[in-house]
Amino acid sequence: MKKVIIIGITLSVLGVSLFAYGSYMSSKATFDKGRIAQAEATGQRRPTLGPVRRIVRTRQAEAKQKMLSQTGQKVAASQVTANWLRGIGAAIFIIGIGTLIFCRKKRI
């Protein structure tokens, strides 16, 4: 009987921990998404003189855009992972609480 109680408490704590970590990852991903949007918005180009400078600036802009798109993909993947962690954490918490309630009903 004590093993069931310990398992229920452990599952509940594990579920809350996973949910909290998923929420942390989600807020971090949202913050990073805002930073990416800000970086894309500040990418205003000024006119340049000379063909060499124009080519260099174009290459820099392409490299920056490639880096931002890769970072955006990583942020999207971490957002999906955060959603899964929150969902799994909630499910494990419910199972842990259900185990505790089921154990109490049997005891009464």
Short mmCIF file of all heavy atoms in Angstrom, two decimals, residues 45 47-61:
data_model
loop_
_atom_site.label_atom_id
_atom_site.label_comp_id
_atom_site.label_asym_id
_atom_site.label_seq_id
_atom_site.Cartn_x
_atom_site.Cartn_y
_atom_site.Cartn_z
N ARG A 45 17.86 48.25 -45.38
CA ARG A 45 19.08 48.47 -46.15
C ARG A 45 19.21 49.94 -46.51
O ARG A 45 18.25 50.58 -46.91
CB ARG A 45 19.05 47.63 -47.42
CG ARG A 45 19.05 46.15 -47.10
CD ARG A 45 19.07 45.33 -48.34
NE ARG A 45 20.34 45.54 -49.02
CZ ARG A 45 20.58 45.14 -50.25
NH1 ARG A 45 19.65 44.53 -50.93
NH2 ARG A 45 21.75 45.35 -50.82
N PRO A 47 21.17 52.74 -48.97
CA PRO A 47 21.78 52.72 -50.30
C PRO A 47 23.32 52.70 -50.18
O PRO A 47 23.90 53.35 -49.31
CB PRO A 47 21.30 54.02 -50.95
CG PRO A 47 20.71 54.83 -49.87
CD PRO A 47 20.41 53.94 -48.72
N THR A 48 23.93 51.93 -51.05
CA THR A 48 25.38 51.84 -51.04
C THR A 48 25.93 52.32 -52.38
O THR A 48 25.28 52.20 -53.42
CB THR A 48 25.85 50.40 -50.81
OG1 THR A 48 25.28 49.57 -51.79
CG2 THR A 48 25.45 49.91 -49.43
N LEU A 49 27.11 52.85 -52.31
CA LEU A 49 27.77 53.34 -53.52
C LEU A 49 28.83 52.33 -53.95
O LEU A 49 29.58 51.84 -53.12
CB LEU A 49 28.40 54.70 -53.27
CG LEU A 49 27.44 55.82 -52.86
CD1 LEU A 49 28.21 57.06 -52.50
CD2 LEU A 49 26.46 56.10 -53.98
N GLY A 50 28.84 52.04 -55.17
CA GLY A 50 29.86 51.16 -55.70
C GLY A 50 29.40 49.74 -55.82
O GLY A 50 28.68 49.22 -54.96
N PRO A 51 29.80 49.06 -56.87
CA PRO A 51 29.36 47.68 -57.09
C PRO A 51 29.96 46.69 -56.10
O PRO A 51 29.31 45.72 -55.72
CB PRO A 51 29.82 47.38 -58.52
CG PRO A 51 30.91 48.35 -58.79
CD PRO A 51 30.62 49.56 -57.97
N VAL A 52 31.16 46.93 -55.65
CA VAL A 52 31.80 45.99 -54.71
C VAL A 52 31.07 46.02 -53.38
O VAL A 52 30.78 44.98 -52.79
CB VAL A 52 33.30 46.32 -54.55
CG1 VAL A 52 33.92 45.44 -53.48
CG2 VAL A 52 34.03 46.18 -55.86
N ARG A 53 30.79 47.21 -52.90
CA ARG A 53 30.07 47.32 -51.62
C ARG A 53 28.67 46.71 -51.73
O ARG A 53 28.18 46.10 -50.79
CB ARG A 53 29.97 48.78 -51.20
CG ARG A 53 31.27 49.35 -50.74
CD ARG A 53 31.07 50.77 -50.29
NE ARG A 53 32.34 51.35 -49.90
CZ ARG A 53 32.52 52.63 -49.67
NH1 ARG A 53 31.49 53.46 -49.80
NH2 ARG A 53 33.69 53.09 -49.31
N ARG A 54 28.03 46.92 -52.88
CA ARG A 54 26.70 46.37 -53.07
C ARG A 54 26.74 44.84 -53.00
O ARG A 54 25.89 44.21 -52.39
CB ARG A 54 26.16 46.84 -54.42
CG ARG A 54 24.75 47.32 -54.33
CD ARG A 54 24.24 47.86 -55.65
NE ARG A 54 24.50 49.29 -55.75
CZ ARG A 54 25.08 49.89 -56.77
NH1 ARG A 54 25.44 49.23 -57.83
NH2 ARG A 54 25.26 51.20 -56.77
N ILE A 55 27.72 44.23 -53.63
CA ILE A 55 27.84 42.77 -53.63
C ILE A 55 28.11 42.26 -52.22
O ILE A 55 27.51 41.28 -51.78
CB ILE A 55 28.96 42.33 -54.62
CG1 ILE A 55 28.53 42.60 -56.05
CG2 ILE A 55 29.28 40.85 -54.44
CD1 ILE A 55 29.64 42.43 -57.08
N VAL A 56 29.01 42.95 -51.51
CA VAL A 56 29.34 42.53 -50.14
C VAL A 56 28.11 42.62 -49.25
O VAL A 56 27.82 41.72 -48.48
CB VAL A 56 30.50 43.38 -49.58
CG1 VAL A 56 30.67 43.15 -48.09
CG2 VAL A 56 31.79 43.07 -50.32
N ARG A 57 27.37 43.72 -49.38
CA ARG A 57 26.17 43.88 -48.57
C ARG A 57 25.11 42.85 -48.90
O ARG A 57 24.40 42.37 -48.02
CB ARG A 57 25.60 45.27 -48.74
CG ARG A 57 25.56 45.89 -47.40
CD ARG A 57 24.88 47.10 -47.28
NE ARG A 57 25.81 47.92 -46.51
CZ ARG A 57 25.49 49.05 -46.01
NH1 ARG A 57 24.30 49.52 -46.20
NH2 ARG A 57 26.34 49.72 -45.30
N THR A 58 24.98 42.52 -50.15
CA THR A 58 24.01 41.51 -50.56
C THR A 58 24.37 40.16 -49.97
O THR A 58 23.51 39.44 -49.45
CB THR A 58 23.96 41.41 -52.10
OG1 THR A 58 23.62 42.68 -52.63
CG2 THR A 58 22.95 40.38 -52.55
N ARG A 59 25.64 39.80 -50.00
CA ARG A 59 26.08 38.53 -49.42
C ARG A 59 25.87 38.51 -47.91
O ARG A 59 25.47 37.50 -47.35
CB ARG A 59 27.55 38.27 -49.75
CG ARG A 59 27.75 37.92 -51.19
CD ARG A 59 29.17 37.60 -51.49
NE ARG A 59 29.35 37.29 -52.91
CZ ARG A 59 30.50 37.26 -53.52
NH1 ARG A 59 31.62 37.53 -52.86
NH2 ARG A 59 30.57 36.97 -54.81
N GLN A 60 26.15 39.63 -47.26
CA GLN A 60 25.92 39.69 -45.82
C GLN A 60 24.44 39.55 -45.49
O GLN A 60 24.07 38.87 -44.53
CB GLN A 60 26.46 41.01 -45.25
CG GLN A 60 27.95 41.09 -45.17
CD GLN A 60 28.42 42.46 -44.71
OE1 GLN A 60 27.67 43.44 -44.74
NE2 GLN A 60 29.69 42.54 -44.31
N ALA A 61 23.59 40.19 -46.28
CA ALA A 61 22.15 40.10 -46.05
C ALA A 61 21.66 38.67 -46.26
O ALA A 61 20.81 38.18 -45.51
CB ALA A 61 21.41 41.06 -46.97
#
